[in-house]
Amino acid sequence: MEKAYKTEGFSLTQKDLKIIAIAAMLIDHIAWMFVPTSSQAGQIMHFIGRLTMPIMCYFIAEGYEKTRNAGKYLLRLFIFAAISHFPFQYFLWGKIPLFSPGPKYYPAAYYTTGVIYTLALGLLALMAVKSKKVPLILKPFILCAILFAAQIGDYRYFGVLWVLFFGLFHHDRFLMTVSFLAVTLGIVLPAFTNPQSYFMFGTFLPIIPILLYNGRKGEGRSWKLFFYIFYPVHLVILGFLRNLYK
């Protein structure tokens, strides 16, 4: 079994990784709003944006390892997921379909939701699989139900599986890497036949900074909740700017 964190040479702190994830997310979302996906700039910006979700999935698993109360941690995630739902809808459509029904909104628009919901389900899956109170025979059925529920979230069941394997193999960097690459291959496969999706190959990239993580928080203020606050706020701002300048 390998060490959970990098201990020698160049490494990254928790703060470093979260700054990378947040900056990549902002670049990605700016591109969705204002830069054509087929353009070179769009492809590069979305490629960078693929850094965000796996890094956040890793920190959900990390949080599970370190939290004293996983139930409160899960509740907090679902609360932030609910808070972020309408900003995410506004970001996608420029309006909130629930309050602005019309023919341009297909049925999925009414229930599609953001990444924090997916992260919460990932934590729920990890808790269920690792729980000693849940009978072993029930765990596959619970996991399948969670993966099905994840279909309405951004990154769908891929995000749940990332959290799950990051948690299961938290102390084995080799198995963590192999499982991450295997899940990621599933999300990247369609890009082989679609030039506009070539940026999806960037989804392999986050394993590099994750393996450089040294387990330390980093200097300065805590970034514990910053992502969860920044996420809905920046979605509203970008949605507003898109409406303002379209």
Side-chain angles (χ1 to χ4, degrees):
M1 183 179 294
E2 299 183 31
K3 295 180 180 179
Y5 308 116
K6 190 176 191 323
T7 57
E8 299 177 355
F10 176 77
S11 63
L12 298 169
T13 65
Q14 182 183 115
K15 181 179 178 181
D16 295 331
L17 280 177
K18 289 188 176 180
I19 289 174
I20 290 171
I22 290 169
M25 178 178 63
L26 182 59
I27 291 169
D28 185 52
H29 288 172
I30 289 173
W32 285 125
M33 288 288 99
F34 306 110
V35 184
T37 302
S38 58
S39 68
Q40 185 177 29
Q43 289 289 308
I44 292 172
M45 293 173 77
H46 291 313
F47 184 90
I48 294 170
R50 298 316 100 201
L51 282 162
T52 301
M53 187 59 173
I55 290 175
M56 298 315 301
C57 288
Y58 178 82
F59 279 119
I60 294 299
E62 173 93 346
Y64 173 80
E65 286 285 320
K66 295 184 176 181
T67 187
R68 295 179 180 178
N69 190 322
K72 286 185 178 180
Y73 184 26
L74 181 65
L75 177 61
R76 185 166 67 243
L77 281 175
F78 274 118
I79 289 173
F80 277 110
I83 291 171
S84 301
H85 175 71
F86 291 119
F88 181 75
Q89 293 270 299
Y90 182 64
F91 171 79
L92 282 182
W93 311 106
K95 294 181 180 179
I96 299 175
L98 181 64
F99 305 124
S100 305
K104 68 176 289 188
Y105 302 114
Y106 57 90
Y110 293 91
Y111 54 77
T112 304
T113 194
V115 295
I116 300 182
Y117 169 80
T118 309
L119 294 173
L121 288 182
L123 176 60
L124 181 61
L126 184 58
M127 290 170 62
V129 170
K130 297 195 77 170
S131 174
K132 296 180 180 179
K133 297 180 180 179
V134 178
L136 183 62
I137 195 172
L138 292 180
K139 290 184 180 183
F141 298 100
I142 293 172
L143 180 58
C144 286
I146 293 171
L147 293 175
F148 178 78
Q151 289 298 96
I152 67 172
D154 202 4
Y155 277 91
R156 302 179 292 129
Y157 53 83
F158 295 104
V160 173
L161 291 175
W162 280 331
V163 175
L164 180 62
F165 288 124
F166 281 142
L168 291 177
F169 303 127
H170 189 71
H171 297 287
D172 191 320
R173 288 155 63 86
F174 174 75
L175 288 179
M176 183 181 72
T177 301
V178 170
S179 60
F180 169 77
L181 295 177
V183 173
T184 303
L185 183 61
I187 200 172
V188 169
L189 277 176
F192 283 94
T193 57
N194 183 2
Q196 290 204 32
S197 296
Y198 282 168
F199 66 87
M200 290 301 297
F201 289 104
T203 317
F204 289 115
L205 192 61
I207 195 62
I208 298 174
I210 288 171
L211 290 175
L212 289 173
Y213 177 48
N214 59 23
R216 303 190 192 99
K217 288 185 177 180
E219 298 179 0
R221 296 182 178 181
S222 172
W223 285 63
K224 184 176 181 180
L225 297 178
F226 184 79
F227 173 83
Y228 304 107
I229 296 170
F230 178 82
Y231 181 69
V233 170
H234 94 284
L235 291 177
V236 171
I237 292 173
L238 289 177
F240 174 77
L241 292 174
R242 190 255 309 272
N243 283 345
L244 188 64
Y245 292 107
K246 69 178 181 179

